[in-house]
Each structure stands twice: as C-alpha cells, then as structure tokens.
Amino acid sequence: MAVGHVSSGVAESRNSTRQVVVASLVGTSIEFYDFYVYATAAVLVFPKLFFPAGDATAATLQSLATFAIAFVARPVGSALFGHFGDRIGRKSTLVASLLTMGISTVLIGLLPGYGSIGVAAPLLLALCRFGQGIGLGGEWGGAALLATENAPAGKRAFFGTFPQLGAPIGFFVANGLFLLLSEVMDDATFLSWGWRVPFLASAVLVAVGLWVRLSLHETPAFAKVVQAGDRAKVPFVQVFRTGFTGLVLGTFIMLATYVLFYLMTVFTLSYGTAEGGLGYSRSEFLVLLLVGVVFFGLTVPIAGRLADRFGRRPTLLVVTTAIIAFGLLMGPWFGSGSLPAVLSFLVVGLGLMGLTFGPMGAVLPELFPTAVRYTGASVSYNIASLLGASVAPYIATWLASSHGLGWVGVYLAAMAVLTLIALLVSRETKESALD
C-alpha cells in the first residue's frame, strides 16, 4: 500500500492477526534459513571447497572469518533499510530486504570453488555473504515492528515473538535439509554439488515470502506518523541524536543472546564434529542440534507470555543470570562428550536462548519513538550482532584450542554479565506506547 494511501485512514490499513502472524513468521523464517544455511556450510563445506588445502584448523578459521563478514554488513543494512522503513513504510522495506537476502543466498549456491577459480572463490563468497548481512540487517526490525505495532493491548511481547520464531524454524529447516542430504548422499557427492541444494532452494522460499508480504497493509503506528507529517528526514542521524541511550542499552541487552546462540550452534557443531573436539559424525551432531532447537522454538512464546505478565526487565534479569551460570558449567558439561551430557547441554542452552530471544521483538522497538523505531531497533539489534555473534565462533574456536573448553564458557558468562548490567540500568518498557 502506498504511503499516500496510508494517510487516508488508519482503520482501513489494519492487518488481521492472521496476516501479522504469517507475514512476520514466514519472512523471518526464510531470512534466518538463508543465514543458517551459510553458518552450517561455513563449518562443514566451505573450509574444504573455498580455501587452499592445508591446515584444517586454519581453513575453518578462514571460513568462520567470512561468516563474520555478514555481521559487519548488518549494521549497514539496518541503517539503509531503517531509513526507508521510517521514511516510506514497513511493507515495502520488508519486501526489499527479503529480495536482497534471497538473491545473495542463491548466488552462493552457484559459486565455483577454489579449485576452479582460485582466490576469486573466497572473495566472491565474501561478497555474497556481505549481501546476506545487508538483507538480514533490514529484515528483523521491520518484522518486529509489523508484529508489535499491530499487537492488541497486553499482548505486545507475545506478538513480538512471531518474528523471533523465525530463528528456530529457519535453523531447523536449514540443518534438517543438510542432514537429509548427508544421509542420502556420500561425502564426495555432497561436497561436489549436494551442498548447493539448500542455497538454491532459497529461491522457492523467497517467492513464497514475497507473495505473503505483498498482501500486507502498513501498520497503524506508521500510518499515524504519515498523517501527522512527523516522518524523520534522516532517521539514522535523528536516532543517534535523540535516542542514543536506547541504542546503547538495546545493543548490550541483546549481547548475551547473540553470543549464546552462535556458541550453541556454529561453535558446538564445529567442536562437536572436530577430531580434536568431541569426534561426533556430522549427521549425529546435527540430530542432537535439531532436538535442542525444538526447545528453542518452544521457549520463545513462553518468554513472550512471561514478559507480558511480569515485565520485560524482570524476565530478562532472571534468564540472563541463568545464562551466566550455564556458561560457567560449559567446560565439564559439554566437554564430557557423553551423549546424555551433550544432548542435555544443547537442550538447556537452546532453551535459554528461546527465553532470552523471545522478548526482544518487543523490548527493542519499545526503546524508540515511531518516527525512528525501524532504524533504532534495527541498528541496536545489529550492532549487538557485530559485537557478539560475528566474533563468537572465532573467539570460541581459538579459546577451546588454546586454553580449553572451560574458557569458552567463561567468555559466554562475561558477555552475559554485560547484558545484566544493561538490564539493571534500563527501565521497564512494558507500558510504553507504540503509537
């Protein structure tokens, strides 16, 4: 719906609950699927195909470095798409971010390897990864606003969990597809062309997501801003001038969430399947991860309900304290290597991930006024990704190989302490208006 049409009446531009659920959930599921397909391939495939043969650990670290490039791009994407999201509307921007992510992912599935084009292979891989980061940088903020700005009274945090559910769903589908391919193909076939299938399949998923999102109307909150003529001229500049405190708090409130998730997925997969780690086969460990991700998905809506009932700040204070304790137990728990210990570690860790991630769809938007909300929520979310997720697998791999697994847990606990401090100095946002 064009912006000019939005201004003709807020009531006619209201989305139904079904539209909000489907559009925010489907879109973020596809975006996170694309992102996690890369994360899995960065551990299992890219070190062998896109980098020179030699030291396996060095190749893995190089591959994880390209994984981190997207997190550098995400704040750029949040500023770019945030500008248009706050200027021309949530709907058009969500469509553009989905296209950016989808095209980048499909192109990765078409790239030749190092053996074919030499050093150009990792360079092109890095460029496509940058495109993925740009797309995801603009995706999450728009999806969170779509859900929360359409939420009924008293249910904003629960509605904010709809885009959050895209993370476990996208991860489950991405890794489930990798698992299926590894079961029906031998290693040679999988490395030859099978790994490309999840990337190319993104084209079909993006087409479905576009169809869903093109049926949306603008949110009532943005329609009111248009009617009042209060749109920010340069949202990125304005949010730093008037909402800097929100940006800082939002970034550090998200920090533990990002570090926890990428340690629980990318790092555990790498360490769990490495010869110098736990020594599980790729298929065995992916099954364990998929079980853990089920608990991630189950705890996301529970966290939203808790945040609506008890408040965002009390809920996250309790969960963050639990993450600190979990990190300090990581060495003996995960490092034991036994199947019951590894499975319970993944279940508890990813369950905590759902509890800390679930309320964020409401918490970050509530820190900013409508005129700069897309930009503010997106920038804080993605700066946290740069500080936390981008380097987490790399730091964890280095710590585990140099100092032992226990220090990886200390790293997680230290990042969670920073989040705890941010929560302690922040205000409760449960009663904040989003109009």
Side-chain angles (χ1 to χ4, degrees):
M1 179 170 288
V3 169
H5 194 172
V6 170
S7 64
S8 65
V10 173
E12 67 184 78
S13 66
R14 188 172 297 275
N15 297 293
S16 68
T17 298
R18 180 187 60 81
Q19 284 178 301
V20 172
V21 172
V22 173
S24 58
L25 180 59
V26 169
T28 53
S29 295
I30 294 167
E31 294 271 13
F32 280 112
Y33 164 87
D34 288 354
F35 211 69
Y36 298 151
V37 160
Y38 190 100
T40 303
V43 173
L44 301 179
V45 178
F46 295 160
K48 300 180 180 69
L49 295 183
F50 284 91
F51 299 93
D55 187 336
T57 300
T60 298
L61 288 173
Q62 290 171 334
S63 180
L64 290 176
T66 66
F67 171 78
I69 287 173
F71 295 96
V72 177
R74 282 171 68 163
V76 178
S78 64
L80 174 65
F81 287 111
H83 175 85
F84 292 107
D86 285 326
R87 287 291 301 162
I88 66 174
R90 302 359 181 176
K91 171 186 172 177
S92 300
T93 308
L94 280 168
V95 169
S97 68
L98 184 61
L99 275 174
T100 302
M101 185 71 163
I103 291 171
S104 300
T105 303
V106 171
L107 287 176
I108 291 172
L110 299 173
L111 289 179
Y114 186 89
S116 299
I117 59 173
V119 72
L123 292 177
L124 289 173
L125 181 66
L127 180 62
C128 291
R129 181 61 173 168
F130 190 85
Q132 281 192 316
I134 292 286
L136 191 58
E139 161 63 28
W140 181 86
L145 265 56
L146 172 66
T148 55
E149 289 183 347
N150 282 287
K155 294 184 178 180
R156 191 190 301 150
F158 179 67
F159 266 58
T161 63
F162 299 153
Q164 308 303 77
L165 281 168
I169 291 172
F171 183 90
F172 193 91
V173 174
N175 284 277
L177 185 51
F178 268 112
L179 177 62
L180 176 63
L181 291 171
S182 65
E183 289 296 315
V184 300
M185 296 178 178
D186 56 35
D187 286 346
T189 304
F190 180 76
L191 287 173
S192 175
W193 61 269
W195 68 270
R196 299 180 185 275
V197 174
F199 290 91
L200 299 177
S202 178
V204 177
L205 299 177
V206 169
V208 173
L210 289 174
W211 176 75
V212 170
R213 285 190 167 173
L214 287 170
S215 67
L216 289 175
H217 304 288
E218 272 302 343
T219 68
F222 183 75
K224 290 180 181 179
V225 168
V226 174
Q227 286 179 317
D230 290 336
R231 282 178 288 181
K233 291 183 179 179
V234 187
F236 185 76
V237 173
Q238 184 169 322
V239 77
F240 272 89
R241 188 173 65 244
T242 63
F244 185 74
T245 300
L247 287 175
V248 174
L249 288 176
T251 296
F252 283 96
I253 286 172
M254 272 295 303
L255 185 62
T257 303
Y258 267 122
V259 175
L260 175 64
F261 184 68
Y262 283 92
L263 291 186
M264 293 306 303
T265 53
V266 179
F267 171 72
T268 61
L269 178 61
S270 177
Y271 189 84
T273 58
E275 290 183 10
L278 301 185
Y280 283 82
S281 71
R282 180 177 65 213
S283 297
E284 288 172 339
F285 203 87
L286 281 176
V287 170
L288 297 178
L289 265 180
L290 291 176
V291 173
V293 168
V294 170
F295 288 85
F296 177 14
L298 291 174
T299 53
V300 164
I302 292 172
R305 293 291 192 188
L306 291 172
D308 277 330
R309 181 173 180 180
F310 300 107
R312 288 66 161 132
R313 190 167 170 268
T315 300
L316 289 172
L317 282 170
V318 171
V319 176
T320 304
T321 302
I323 292 172
I324 294 171
F326 175 78
L328 296 177
L329 293 171
M330 182 177 187
W333 193 350
F334 184 52
S336 74
S338 71
L339 181 60
V342 171
L343 180 58
S344 62
F345 176 82
L346 294 174
V347 166
V348 172
L350 286 163
L352 286 172
M353 176 62 200
L355 291 173
T356 185
F357 189 56
M360 296 301 174
V363 171
L364 297 189
E366 288 169 351
L367 294 172
F368 304 96
T370 305
V372 294
R373 186 171 297 135
Y374 200 130
T375 301
S378 296
V379 169
S380 56
Y381 181 85
N382 288 297
I383 291 178
S385 79
L386 179 60
L387 297 178
S390 65
V391 294
Y394 191 98
I395 290 175
T397 300
W398 177 78
L399 283 172
S401 61
S402 302
H403 301 286
L405 189 61
W407 282 97
V408 179
V410 171
Y411 164 56
L412 171 60
M415 297 301 101
V417 167
L418 294 178
T419 290
L420 192 68
I421 293 170
L423 288 167
L424 288 171
V425 301
S426 68
R427 61 182 175 84
E428 175 57 57
T429 58
K430 179 181 175 181
E431 303 301 328
S432 300
L434 290 193
D435 53 17

Coordinates of all heavy atoms in Angstrom, one line a residue, residues 21-98:
V21 N 0.8 -12.7 11.9 CA 1.5 -13.9 12.2 C 2.2 -14.5 11.0 O 3.4 -14.8 11.1 CB 0.5 -14.9 12.8 CG1 1.2 -16.2 13.1 CG2 -0.1 -14.4 14.2
V22 N 1.5 -14.6 9.9 CA 2.1 -15.3 8.8 C 3.2 -14.5 8.2 O 4.3 -15.0 7.9 CB 1.0 -15.6 7.7 CG1 1.6 -16.1 6.4 CG2 0.0 -16.6 8.3
A23 N 3.0 -13.2 8.0 CA 4.0 -12.3 7.3 C 5.2 -12.2 8.1 O 6.3 -12.2 7.6 CB 3.4 -11.0 7.0
S24 N 5.1 -12.0 9.5 CA 6.3 -11.8 10.3 C 7.0 -13.2 10.5 O 8.2 -13.2 10.5 CB 5.9 -11.2 11.6 OG 5.0 -12.0 12.3
L25 N 6.2 -14.2 10.6 CA 6.8 -15.6 10.8 C 7.5 -16.1 9.6 O 8.6 -16.6 9.6 CB 5.8 -16.5 11.4 CG 6.2 -17.9 11.7 CD1 7.3 -17.9 12.7 CD2 5.1 -18.8 12.2
V26 N 6.7 -16.1 8.5 CA 7.3 -16.7 7.2 C 8.5 -15.9 6.7 O 9.5 -16.5 6.4 CB 6.2 -16.7 6.1 CG1 6.8 -17.0 4.8 CG2 5.1 -17.7 6.5
G27 N 8.4 -14.6 6.8 CA 9.5 -13.8 6.3 C 10.8 -14.0 7.1 O 11.9 -14.3 6.5
T28 N 10.7 -14.0 8.4 CA 11.9 -14.1 9.2 C 12.4 -15.6 9.2 O 13.6 -15.8 9.2 CB 11.7 -13.7 10.7 OG1 10.6 -14.4 11.2 CG2 11.5 -12.2 10.8
S29 N 11.5 -16.5 9.0 CA 11.9 -17.9 8.9 C 12.8 -18.1 7.6 O 13.8 -18.8 7.7 CB 10.7 -18.9 8.8 OG 10.0 -18.8 10.0
I30 N 12.4 -17.5 6.5 CA 13.2 -17.6 5.3 C 14.5 -16.9 5.4 O 15.5 -17.4 5.0 CB 12.3 -17.0 4.1 CG1 11.1 -17.8 3.9 CG2 13.2 -16.9 2.9 CD1 10.1 -17.2 2.9
E31 N 14.5 -15.7 6.0 CA 15.7 -14.9 6.2 C 16.7 -15.7 7.1 O 17.9 -15.8 6.8 CB 15.4 -13.6 6.8 CG 14.6 -12.6 5.9 CD 15.5 -11.8 5.0 OE1 16.7 -12.1 4.9 OE2 14.9 -10.8 4.4
F32 N 16.2 -16.2 8.2 CA 17.1 -17.0 9.1 C 17.5 -18.3 8.5 O 18.6 -18.8 8.7 CB 16.4 -17.2 10.4 CG 16.5 -16.0 11.3 CD1 15.4 -15.3 11.7 CD2 17.7 -15.6 11.9 CE1 15.4 -14.2 12.5 CE2 17.8 -14.5 12.7 CZ 16.6 -13.8 13.0
Y33 N 16.7 -18.9 7.7 CA 17.1 -20.1 6.9 C 18.3 -19.8 6.1 O 19.3 -20.5 6.1 CB 15.9 -20.6 6.1 CG 16.3 -21.6 5.0 CD1 16.4 -22.9 5.3 CD2 16.6 -21.1 3.7 CE1 16.8 -23.9 4.3 CE2 17.0 -22.0 2.7 CZ 17.1 -23.4 3.0 OH 17.5 -24.3 2.1
D34 N 18.2 -18.7 5.3 CA 19.3 -18.3 4.4 C 20.6 -18.1 5.2 O 21.7 -18.6 4.9 CB 18.9 -17.0 3.7 CG 17.9 -17.3 2.6 OD1 17.5 -18.4 2.4 OD2 17.5 -16.3 2.0
F35 N 20.4 -17.5 6.4 CA 21.6 -17.1 7.2 C 22.2 -18.4 7.8 O 23.4 -18.5 7.8 CB 21.1 -16.2 8.3 CG 22.2 -15.2 8.7 CD1 22.6 -14.2 7.9 CD2 22.8 -15.3 10.0 CE1 23.6 -13.3 8.3 CE2 23.8 -14.4 10.4 CZ 24.2 -13.4 9.5
Y36 N 21.4 -19.3 8.2 CA 21.9 -20.5 8.9 C 22.4 -21.5 7.9 O 23.3 -22.3 8.3 CB 20.8 -21.1 9.8 CG 20.4 -20.2 10.9 CD1 19.1 -20.3 11.4 CD2 21.2 -19.3 11.4 CE1 18.6 -19.5 12.4 CE2 20.8 -18.4 12.5 CZ 19.5 -18.5 12.9 OH 19.1 -17.7 13.9
V37 N 21.9 -21.5 6.7 CA 22.5 -22.4 5.7 C 23.9 -22.1 5.5 O 24.8 -22.9 5.4 CB 21.7 -22.2 4.4 CG1 22.5 -22.7 3.2 CG2 20.4 -23.0 4.4
Y38 N 24.2 -20.8 5.5 CA 25.6 -20.4 5.4 C 26.4 -20.8 6.6 O 27.6 -21.3 6.5 CB 25.7 -18.9 5.2 CG 27.1 -18.4 4.8 CD1 27.5 -18.1 3.5 CD2 28.1 -18.3 5.8 CE1 28.8 -17.8 3.2 CE2 29.4 -18.0 5.5 CZ 29.7 -17.7 4.1 OH 31.0 -17.3 3.8
A39 N 25.9 -20.6 7.8 CA 26.6 -20.9 9.1 C 26.9 -22.4 9.1 O 28.1 -22.7 9.5 CB 25.7 -20.6 10.3
T40 N 26.0 -23.3 8.7 CA 26.3 -24.7 8.7 C 27.4 -25.0 7.6 O 28.3 -25.8 7.9 CB 25.0 -25.5 8.4 OG1 24.0 -25.1 9.4 CG2 25.3 -27.0 8.4
A41 N 27.2 -24.5 6.4 CA 28.2 -24.7 5.4 C 29.5 -24.2 5.7 O 30.6 -24.7 5.3 CB 27.7 -24.1 4.0
A42 N 29.6 -23.1 6.5 CA 30.9 -22.5 6.8 C 31.7 -23.4 7.7 O 32.9 -23.4 7.7 CB 30.7 -21.2 7.6
V43 N 31.0 -24.4 8.4 CA 31.7 -25.4 9.2 C 32.0 -26.6 8.4 O 33.1 -27.2 8.5 CB 30.9 -25.7 10.5 CG1 31.5 -26.8 11.3 CG2 30.8 -24.4 11.4
L44 N 31.0 -27.1 7.7 CA 31.0 -28.4 7.1 C 31.6 -28.4 5.7 O 32.2 -29.5 5.3 CB 29.6 -29.0 7.0 CG 28.9 -29.2 8.4 CD1 27.5 -29.8 8.1 CD2 29.7 -30.1 9.3
V45 N 31.4 -27.4 4.9 CA 31.7 -27.4 3.5 C 32.8 -26.4 3.0 O 33.8 -26.8 2.4 CB 30.5 -27.2 2.6 CG1 30.8 -27.2 1.1 CG2 29.4 -28.2 2.9
F46 N 32.6 -25.2 3.4 CA 33.5 -24.1 2.8 C 34.9 -24.2 3.1 O 35.8 -23.9 2.2 CB 33.0 -22.7 3.2 CG 31.6 -22.4 2.7 CD1 30.8 -21.4 3.3 CD2 31.1 -23.0 1.6 CE1 29.6 -21.1 2.8 CE2 29.8 -22.7 1.1 CZ 29.1 -21.7 1.7
P47 N 35.4 -24.7 4.3 CA 36.8 -24.9 4.5 C 37.5 -25.8 3.5 O 38.6 -25.7 3.2 CB 36.9 -25.5 5.9 CG 35.6 -25.0 6.6 CD 34.6 -25.0 5.5
K48 N 36.7 -26.8 3.0 CA 37.3 -27.7 2.0 C 37.2 -27.2 0.6 O 38.0 -27.6 -0.2 CB 36.5 -29.1 2.1 CG 36.5 -29.7 3.5 CD 35.7 -31.0 3.5 CE 35.8 -31.7 4.8 NZ 35.0 -31.0 5.8
L49 N 36.2 -26.4 0.3 CA 36.0 -26.0 -1.1 C 36.4 -24.6 -1.5 O 36.8 -24.4 -2.7 CB 34.5 -26.1 -1.5 CG 33.9 -27.5 -1.4 CD1 32.4 -27.5 -1.8 CD2 34.6 -28.5 -2.3
F50 N 36.5 -23.7 -0.6 CA 36.7 -22.3 -1.0 C 38.1 -21.8 -0.5 O 38.4 -20.6 -0.7 CB 35.6 -21.4 -0.5 CG 34.3 -21.5 -1.3 CD1 33.4 -22.4 -1.0 CD2 34.1 -20.7 -2.4 CE1 32.2 -22.6 -1.7 CE2 33.0 -20.8 -3.2 CZ 32.0 -21.8 -2.8
F51 N 38.8 -22.6 0.2 CA 40.1 -22.2 0.7 C 41.2 -23.2 0.3 O 40.9 -24.3 0.1 CB 40.0 -22.0 2.2 CG 39.0 -20.9 2.6 CD1 37.7 -21.3 2.9 CD2 39.4 -19.6 2.6 CE1 36.8 -20.4 3.2 CE2 38.4 -18.6 2.9 CZ 37.1 -19.0 3.3
P52 N 42.5 -22.7 0.3 CA 43.6 -23.6 -0.2 C 43.7 -24.8 0.8 O 43.4 -24.7 2.0 CB 44.8 -22.7 -0.1 CG 44.3 -21.3 -0.1 CD 43.0 -21.4 0.5
A53 N 44.1 -26.0 0.2 CA 44.2 -27.2 1.0 C 45.5 -27.0 1.9 O 46.4 -26.3 1.6 CB 44.5 -28.4 0.1
G54 N 45.4 -27.6 3.1 CA 46.5 -27.4 4.1 C 46.0 -27.7 5.5 O 45.3 -28.7 5.7
D55 N 46.3 -26.8 6.4 CA 45.9 -26.9 7.8 C 44.4 -26.8 7.9 O 43.8 -25.8 7.6 CB 46.6 -25.8 8.6 CG 46.3 -26.0 10.1 OD1 45.3 -26.6 10.5 OD2 47.2 -25.5 10.9
A56 N 43.7 -27.9 8.4 CA 42.2 -27.9 8.5 C 41.7 -26.8 9.5 O 40.7 -26.2 9.2 CB 41.8 -29.3 8.9
T57 N 42.4 -26.6 10.6 CA 42.0 -25.6 11.6 C 42.1 -24.2 11.0 O 41.2 -23.4 11.1 CB 42.9 -25.7 12.8 OG1 42.7 -27.0 13.4 CG2 42.4 -24.6 13.8
A58 N 43.2 -24.0 10.2 CA 43.3 -22.7 9.6 C 42.2 -22.4 8.5 O 41.7 -21.3 8.5 CB 44.7 -22.6 8.9
A59 N 41.9 -23.4 7.8 CA 40.8 -23.3 6.8 C 39.5 -23.0 7.5 O 38.7 -22.2 7.0 CB 40.7 -24.6 5.9
T60 N 39.2 -23.7 8.6 CA 38.0 -23.5 9.3 C 37.9 -22.0 9.9 O 36.9 -21.4 9.8 CB 37.8 -24.5 10.5 OG1 37.8 -25.8 10.0 CG2 36.6 -24.2 11.3
L61 N 39.0 -21.6 10.4 CA 39.1 -20.2 10.9 C 38.9 -19.2 9.8 O 38.2 -18.2 10.0 CB 40.4 -19.9 11.6 CG 40.6 -20.6 13.0 CD1 42.0 -20.4 13.5 CD2 39.6 -20.1 14.0
Q62 N 39.4 -19.4 8.6 CA 39.2 -18.6 7.5 C 37.8 -18.6 7.0 O 37.2 -17.5 6.7 CB 40.1 -19.0 6.3 CG 41.6 -18.7 6.5 CD 42.5 -19.4 5.4 OE1 42.1 -20.3 4.8 NE2 43.6 -18.8 5.2
S63 N 37.2 -19.7 7.1 CA 35.8 -19.8 6.7 C 34.9 -19.1 7.7 O 33.9 -18.4 7.3 CB 35.3 -21.3 6.6 OG 34.0 -21.5 6.3
L64 N 35.2 -19.2 9.0 CA 34.4 -18.5 10.0 C 34.6 -17.0 9.9 O 33.8 -16.2 10.3 CB 34.9 -19.0 11.4 CG 34.4 -20.4 11.8 CD1 35.0 -20.8 13.1 CD2 32.9 -20.6 11.7
A65 N 35.8 -16.6 9.4 CA 36.0 -15.2 9.1 C 35.0 -14.6 8.1 O 34.5 -13.5 8.2 CB 37.5 -14.9 8.7
T66 N 34.8 -15.4 7.0 CA 33.8 -15.0 6.0 C 32.4 -15.0 6.6 O 31.6 -14.2 6.3 CB 33.8 -15.9 4.8 OG1 33.4 -17.2 5.1 CG2 35.2 -15.9 4.1
F67 N 32.2 -15.9 7.5 CA 30.9 -16.0 8.3 C 30.7 -14.7 9.0 O 29.6 -14.1 9.0 CB 30.9 -17.1 9.3 CG 29.8 -17.2 10.2 CD1 28.5 -17.6 9.8 CD2 30.0 -16.8 11.5 CE1 27.5 -17.7 10.7 CE2 28.9 -16.8 12.4 CZ 27.7 -17.2 12.0
A68 N 31.8 -14.1 9.6 CA 31.6 -12.9 10.3 C 31.4 -11.6 9.5 O 30.9 -10.6 10.0 CB 32.9 -12.7 11.1
I69 N 31.7 -11.7 8.2 CA 31.5 -10.5 7.3 C 30.1 -10.1 7.3 O 29.8 -8.8 7.3 CB 32.0 -10.9 5.9 CG1 33.5 -11.0 5.8 CG2 31.5 -9.9 4.9 CD1 34.0 -11.5 4.5
A70 N 29.1 -11.0 7.4 CA 27.7 -10.6 7.3 C 27.4 -9.7 8.5 O 26.5 -8.8 8.4 CB 26.8 -11.8 7.3
F71 N 28.0 -9.9 9.7 CA 27.7 -9.2 10.8 C 28.3 -7.7 10.7 O 27.8 -6.8 11.4 CB 28.3 -9.9 12.1 CG 27.6 -11.2 12.3 CD1 28.2 -12.4 11.9 CD2 26.4 -11.2 13.0 CE1 27.5 -13.6 12.1 CE2 25.7 -12.5 13.2 CZ 26.3 -13.6 12.7
V72 N 29.3 -7.6 10.0 CA 29.8 -6.2 9.6 C 28.8 -5.5 8.7 O 28.5 -4.3 8.9 CB 31.2 -6.3 8.9 CG1 31.6 -4.9 8.6 CG2 32.2 -6.9 9.8
A73 N 28.2 -6.3 7.8 CA 27.2 -5.7 6.9 C 25.9 -5.4 7.5 O 25.1 -4.5 7.1 CB 27.0 -6.7 5.7
R74 N 25.5 -6.1 8.6 CA 24.2 -6.0 9.2 C 23.9 -4.6 9.7 O 22.8 -4.1 9.4 CB 24.0 -7.1 10.3 CG 23.7 -8.4 9.6 CD 23.7 -9.5 10.7 NE 22.6 -9.4 11.6 CZ 22.1 -10.4 12.4 NH1 22.7 -11.6 12.3 NH2 21.1 -10.3 13.2
P75 N 24.8 -3.9 10.4 CA 24.5 -2.5 10.8 C 24.3 -1.6 9.6 O 23.5 -0.7 9.6 CB 25.7 -2.1 11.6 CG 26.3 -3.4 12.1 CD 26.0 -4.4 11.0
V76 N 25.1 -1.9 8.5 CA 24.9 -1.1 7.3 C 23.5 -1.3 6.7 O 22.8 -0.4 6.3 CB 25.9 -1.5 6.2 CG1 25.7 -0.7 4.9 CG2 27.3 -1.3 6.7
G77 N 23.1 -2.6 6.7 CA 21.7 -2.9 6.2 C 20.6 -2.3 7.1 O 19.6 -1.8 6.6
S78 N 20.9 -2.3 8.4 CA 19.9 -1.7 9.3 C 19.8 -0.2 9.1 O 18.7 0.3 9.2 CB 20.3 -2.0 10.8 OG 21.5 -1.4 11.2
A79 N 20.9 0.5 8.8 CA 20.8 1.9 8.5 C 20.1 2.2 7.2 O 19.3 3.1 7.1 CB 22.2 2.5 8.5
L80 N 20.5 1.4 6.2 CA 19.9 1.5 4.9 C 18.4 1.3 4.9 O 17.6 2.1 4.5 CB 20.6 0.6 3.9 CG 20.0 0.6 2.5 CD1 20.2 1.9 1.8 CD2 20.7 -0.6 1.7
F81 N 18.0 0.1 5.3 CA 16.6 -0.3 5.3 C 15.8 0.4 6.4 O 14.6 0.7 6.2 CB 16.4 -1.8 5.4 CG 16.8 -2.6 4.2 CD1 18.0 -3.4 4.2 CD2 16.1 -2.5 3.0 CE1 18.3 -4.1 3.1 CE2 16.5 -3.2 1.9 CZ 17.6 -4.0 1.9
G82 N 16.5 0.7 7.5 CA 15.8 1.5 8.5 C 15.4 2.9 8.0 O 14.4 3.4 8.3
H83 N 16.3 3.5 7.2 CA 16.0 4.8 6.6 C 14.7 4.7 5.8 O 13.7 5.5 6.0 CB 17.1 5.3 5.7 CG 16.8 6.5 5.0 ND1 17.0 7.8 5.5 CD2 16.3 6.7 3.7 CE1 16.7 8.7 4.6 NE2 16.2 8.1 3.5
F84 N 14.6 3.7 4.9 CA 13.4 3.6 4.1 C 12.2 3.1 4.9 O 11.1 3.5 4.6 CB 13.7 2.7 2.9 CG 14.7 3.4 1.9 CD1 16.0 2.9 1.8 CD2 14.3 4.4 1.1 CE1 16.9 3.5 0.9 CE2 15.2 5.0 0.2 CZ 16.5 4.5 0.1
G85 N 12.4 2.3 5.9 CA 11.4 1.8 6.7 C 10.7 2.9 7.5 O 9.5 2.9 7.7
D86 N 11.5 3.9 7.9 CA 10.9 5.0 8.7 C 10.5 6.1 7.8 O 9.7 7.0 8.2 CB 12.0 5.6 9.6 CG 12.2 4.7 10.9 OD1 11.2 4.1 11.3 OD2 13.3 4.6 11.4
R87 N 10.9 6.1 6.5 CA 10.5 7.1 5.6 C 9.3 6.7 4.7 O 8.4 7.5 4.5 CB 11.7 7.5 4.7 CG 12.8 8.3 5.3 CD 12.3 9.7 5.7 NE 11.9 10.5 4.5 CZ 11.2 11.6 4.5 NH1 10.8 12.0 5.7 NH2 10.9 12.2 3.4
I88 N 9.4 5.5 4.1 CA 8.3 5.1 3.1 C 7.4 4.0 3.7 O 6.4 3.7 3.1 CB 8.9 4.7 1.8 CG1 9.7 3.5 1.9 CG2 9.7 5.9 1.2 CD1 10.2 2.9 0.5
G89 N 7.8 3.4 4.7 CA 6.9 2.4 5.3 C 7.6 1.0 5.5 O 8.6 0.7 5.0
R90 N 6.9 0.2 6.4 CA 7.4 -1.1 6.8 C 7.3 -2.1 5.7 O 8.2 -2.9 5.4 CB 6.7 -1.6 8.0 CG 6.6 -0.9 9.3 CD 7.3 0.4 9.5 NE 7.1 0.9 10.9 CZ 7.7 2.0 11.3 NH1 8.5 2.7 10.5 NH2 7.5 2.4 12.6
K91 N 6.2 -2.1 5.0 CA 5.9 -3.1 4.0 C 6.9 -3.1 2.8 O 7.5 -4.2 2.6 CB 4.5 -2.9 3.4 CG 4.1 -3.8 2.2 CD 2.8 -3.4 1.6 CE 2.6 -4.2 0.3 NZ 1.3 -3.9 -0.3
S92 N 7.1 -2.0 2.1 CA 8.0 -2.0 1.0 C 9.4 -2.4 1.4 O 10.1 -3.1 0.7 CB 8.0 -0.6 0.4 OG 6.7 -0.3 -0.1
T93 N 9.8 -1.9 2.6 CA 11.2 -2.2 3.1 C 11.3 -3.7 3.4 O 12.4 -4.3 3.1 CB 11.5 -1.4 4.3 OG1 11.2 0.0 4.0 CG2 12.9 -1.5 4.7
L94 N 10.3 -4.3 3.9 CA 10.4 -5.8 4.2 C 10.5 -6.6 2.9 O 11.2 -7.6 2.9 CB 9.2 -6.2 5.0 CG 9.2 -5.9 6.5 CD1 7.8 -6.1 7.1 CD2 10.2 -6.8 7.2
V95 N 9.8 -6.2 1.9 CA 9.9 -6.9 0.6 C 11.4 -6.7 0.0 O 12.0 -7.7 -0.4 CB 8.9 -6.3 -0.4 CG1 9.2 -6.8 -1.8 CG2 7.5 -6.7 0.0
A96 N 11.9 -5.5 0.1 CA 13.3 -5.3 -0.4 C 14.3 -6.1 0.3 O 15.3 -6.6 -0.3 CB 13.6 -3.8 -0.4
S97 N 14.2 -6.1 1.7 CA 15.2 -6.9 2.5 C 15.2 -8.4 2.2 O 16.2 -9.0 2.1 CB 15.0 -6.6 4.0 OG 13.8 -7.2 4.4
L98 N 13.9 -8.9 2.0 CA 13.8 -10.3 1.6 C 14.4 -10.6 0.3 O 15.1 -11.6 0.1 CB 12.3 -10.7 1.6 CG 12.0 -12.2 1.4 CD1 12.6 -13.0 2.5 CD2 10.5 -12.4 1.4

